[in-house]
Amino acid sequence: MMGNTNTKSFVITGHSIGGATASLCALWLLSYLQHISSSVSVLCITFGSPLLGNGSFSRAILKERWGGNFCHVVLKHDIMPRLLFAPIVPYTAQLNFLLQFWQLSMTSPHFGKLAVQISDEHKAELFNFVMSYLHAATQDGEGSAPILFHPFGTYFFVSEEGAICVDSSTAVIKMMHLMLVSSSPACSIEDHLKYGDYVKTLSLKFLNHDNSMQGNIPDSSYEAGLELAIQSSGLANQELAIEPAKECLQMTRRMGPSPTQNAASLAIRLSKVVPYRAEIEWYKAWCDQQIDQMGYYDLFKGRRGSSKRNMKVNMNRHKLARFWNNVIDMLERNELPHDLATRAKWVNASHSYKLLVEPLDIAEYYGKGMHMHPNKGHYIQHGRERRYEIFDRWWKDRKVTAEENNERSTYASLTQDSCFWARVEEARDWLDSIRRESDTTKLAVWWDNIEKFEKYAMELIENKEVSQDVLAKNSSYSIWVEDLRELRELKAKVKRFPHHFPPSLDGEVVP
């Protein structure tokens, strides 16, 4: 299926432990599709699945914005999705019998009778044990307990009266507790086998548009929705649970501006940072016109003193970094629309920022000798900011327009590889290493690296994907090309006239 270009989406489902397996499969698939930049969608639907990971695991899924890919269906009284709130090691034997009972019963109701039966006493012990930890998980302050496993994704709580959706992990835990309180040990075990019946009943309700609200309808649409949610959860007839359930559902109401409002506000702020970028563009144009012909990258890298121009550019560089870091932070906190990273305006703006400003970051890194620090190294592996890696992914995942496939007739205004100068610095380091080294194995590796970079750079130049500052007479790249030419000429002379050079040079000599 992965090789089929007609595949548009994957839907993965599983019941009980199969639900946990389905979730793991979906996570692997999401990671793989992200790696190959595929637009295929993934939806995982689980039924009565146990919890899967701890708080860090849940936050990692949220950070990757994969929570919306998971829908966990949980019956009102089913104990299985709630088991791992408690340290269940003391009940391993009973759980083994219980899992065997569930497995055989799902094969056939008659087979379930063949399993070793758990006594009512042990059922009650397990039920109360899980309930006590689930209750502690809903408490704040001194009464709280560490939560070993955390929910992630959207939870679809189903009862005889309907269903409600909750995606806040805190609210999910509270609803799990409130709905289980009205259950019994036997019912909590039997409900795990009734997902097919409940889904069928719920589907019929939906098809028959059976969603009428009982009693007086509140004037506020929000309050009406809250009342309907309480009825659908099956808690409307339990007076002690109604108010806690309302408080729980109110927690899920988004406070502050909506993601759409935040995106609109962010667009205004983007327009306000445009002048900072324009001033850096003017600085680049000024660098390209200088008689020393060093270019944008090298002039910023070798800047001396604290001229007003240099200080202004450096200050704007930091202001733009703060703005874009804030965009990423808001995305990861789910404060912006999920599709913002695919919107052309933001993809293009982030890409233009990266192409313009990252060369300055590289110049700063090498100009200050940070690559020589014992705990660091070259920029791409050790100094590159995370925002640039994210913007690389945005650009790679974009929809390519027909215009982008056209050949360039002039050199680009900005070099299309924002890390080009970092690659030049690595290539210069390889040349320096060759001058000092006599080990033929290491020399072969460095020459291979140099030839690969040389070929890569020439392809960029031939395709006019570099800006003119790369080809400036005294740019780092032009100097590297000249140094490489001289080293090759010297190497050729050594091979032709070895008796004219000291034996210790062994064919790899330098001035």
Side-chain angles (χ1 to χ4, degrees):
M1 289 193 296
M2 294 301 296
N4 187 351
T5 55
N6 294 322
T7 300
K8 301 298 182 184
S9 63
F10 287 97
V11 178
I12 306 169
T13 67
H15 172 255
S16 193
I17 294 177
T21 305
S23 293
L24 290 172
C25 179
L27 287 170
W28 177 88
L29 191 57
L30 285 165
S31 178
Y32 175 75
L33 292 172
Q34 183 185 81
H35 176 70
I36 64 173
S37 299
S38 172
S39 59
V40 174
S41 64
V42 177
L43 175 62
C44 178
I45 305 174
T46 71
F47 299 89
S49 171
L51 297 173
L52 198 58
N54 60 12
S56 297
F57 181 81
S58 177
R59 288 189 294 273
I61 292 173
L62 189 65
K63 187 175 181 180
E64 291 292 340
R65 307 178 71 77
W66 291 341
N69 297 88
F70 294 86
C71 176
H72 304 290
V73 181
V74 174
L75 292 191
K76 180 179 177 181
H77 297 148
D78 183 11
I79 197 172
M80 175 59 112
R82 299 157 167 99
L83 274 176
L84 294 182
F85 284 111
I88 55 175
V89 174
Y91 292 88
T92 302
Q94 290 91 328
L95 284 175
N96 286 333
F97 295 143
L98 185 57
L99 290 172
Q100 186 183 50
F101 166 72
W102 279 332
Q103 183 181 15
L104 292 172
S105 296
M106 283 184 278
T107 304
S108 169
H110 300 293
F111 288 172
K113 298 176 182 178
L114 301 177
V116 177
Q117 300 297 311
I118 305 176
S119 67
D120 291 342
E121 182 182 351
H122 284 148
K123 288 179 183 178
E125 280 184 21
L126 179 62
F127 179 82
N128 293 328
F129 184 68
V130 172
M131 180 63 76
S132 64
Y133 275 90
L134 188 54
H135 174 72
T138 66
Q139 302 303 301
D140 297 321
E142 295 182 1
S144 63
I147 302 175
L148 303 178
F149 288 79
H150 280 248
F152 65 89
T154 299
Y155 273 73
F156 195 63
F157 289 102
V158 181
S159 72
E160 299 89 341
E161 288 77 21
I164 57 172
C165 276
V166 181
D167 61 5
S168 162
S169 61
T170 303
V172 166
I173 295 171
K174 288 182 179 294
M175 287 304 298
M176 280 193 172
H177 173 251
L178 288 170
M179 297 178 86
L180 190 64
V181 165
S182 62
S183 182
S184 65
C187 186
S188 69
I189 292 174
E190 292 166 3
D191 243 27
H192 188 62
L193 301 172
K194 294 181 178 179
Y195 279 87
D197 297 335
Y198 275 82
V199 170
K200 182 179 179 180
T201 302
L202 193 63
S203 299
L204 290 173
K205 281 179 174 286
F206 176 77
L207 291 172
N208 295 328
H209 302 285
D210 183 10
N211 59 354
S212 58
M213 180 181 292
Q214 301 171 6
N216 296 326
I217 301 176
D219 294 333
S220 164
S221 59
Y222 172 71
E223 291 296 330
L226 202 58
E227 290 290 342
L228 184 57
I230 296 297
Q231 287 186 19
S232 298
S233 68
L235 299 175
N237 297 323
Q238 300 170 38
E239 293 185 7
L240 295 178
I242 291 176
E243 286 306 315
K246 281 187 177 181
E247 292 175 6
C248 173
L249 293 174
Q250 285 169 342
M251 290 170 50
T252 65
R253 187 180 187 184
R254 185 178 295 277
M255 304 304 291
S258 68
T260 302
Q261 291 172 321
N262 283 332
S265 175
L266 201 60
I268 295 172
R269 289 165 58 191
L270 175 63
S271 67
K272 290 181 179 179
V273 301
V274 166
Y276 304 147
R277 188 179 129 185
E279 288 180 358
I280 296 178
E281 289 172 341
W282 295 335
Y283 173 77
K284 183 180 185 302
W286 175 82
C287 291
D288 292 342
Q289 295 170 1
Q290 297 308 295
I291 58 175
D292 53 17
Q293 299 184 55
M294 292 177 66
Y296 176 55
Y297 170 78
D298 287 284
L299 277 174
F300 190 78
K301 176 185 172 184
R303 67 191 189 282
R304 298 290 181 268
S306 55
S307 70
K308 186 176 180 180
R309 180 185 290 108
N310 287 335
M311 289 179 64
K312 187 73 172 176
V313 168
N314 203 38
M315 182 173 64
N316 289 344
R317 180 172 69 93
H318 287 294
K319 287 179 178 178
L320 288 169
R322 283 197 296 271
F323 171 79
W324 285 107
N325 282 340
N326 182 56
V327 172
I328 293 169
D329 289 343
M330 291 180 70
L331 262 175
E332 293 179 348
R333 293 195 301 265
N334 290 319
E335 295 174 3
L336 294 171
H338 288 279
D339 66 342
L340 185 123
T342 64
R343 296 181 183 180
K345 174 179 181 176
W346 290 98
V347 172
N348 293 330
S350 62
H351 185 63
S352 298
Y353 156 74
K354 181 187 66 171
L355 297 184
L356 178 68
V357 178
E358 188 166 16
L360 300 183
D361 288 3
I362 297 168
E364 178 86 353
Y365 190 83
Y366 285 99
K368 290 186 175 181
M370 295 169 70
H371 63 297
M372 296 166 57
H373 192 278
N375 297 325
K376 286 191 175 281
H378 282 292
Y379 173 84
I380 296 176
Q381 292 79 20
H382 302 282
R384 198 176 192 213
E385 292 288 346
R386 179 169 164 265
R387 62 179 175 274
Y388 294 129
E389 296 174 354
I390 292 172
F391 297 155
D392 280 345
R393 191 161 66 242
W394 290 8
W395 185 250
K396 186 179 179 182
D397 293 346
R398 78 194 188 286
K399 292 183 179 179
V400 180
T401 62
E403 293 178 359
E404 292 181 58
N405 293 321
N406 296 335
E407 291 186 4
R408 294 178 182 272
S409 57
T410 59
Y411 285 109
S413 58
L414 296 168
T415 300
Q416 296 303 289
D417 178 2
S418 62
C419 287
F420 178 80
W421 292 109
R423 303 187 203 282
V424 170
E425 295 289 355
E426 288 196 54
R428 292 179 66 184
D429 192 39
W430 295 331
L431 276 186
D432 290 340
S433 298
I434 285 174
R435 291 188 177 102
R436 299 188 301 267
E437 188 58 61
S438 60
D439 186 315
T440 55
T441 303
K442 292 182 180 179
L443 288 169
V445 172
W446 285 325
W447 275 116
D448 183 58
N449 290 341
I450 285 172
E451 289 169 1
K452 287 178 179 177
F453 171 70
E454 182 184 31
K455 180 181 179 182
Y456 171 72
M458 288 306 299
E459 287 177 354
L460 287 181
I461 294 169
E462 289 171 5
N463 295 331
K464 292 183 167 53
E465 292 181 354
V466 298
S467 57
Q468 291 185 344
D469 62 310
V470 170
L471 303 175
K473 182 179 178 181
N474 296 314
S475 73
S476 291
Y477 175 72
S478 296
I479 293 173
W480 178 83
V481 170
E482 182 62 24
D483 287 347
L484 178 60
R485 183 188 63 79
E486 292 177 357
L487 190 60
R488 280 176 170 156
E489 288 179 355
L490 190 57
K491 182 180 179 182
K493 287 180 181 179
V494 170
K495 290 182 177 179
R496 289 181 61 191
F497 309 106
H499 57 281
H500 290 174
F501 297 90
S504 61
L505 296 177
D506 194 28
E508 294 295 345
V509 299
V510 292

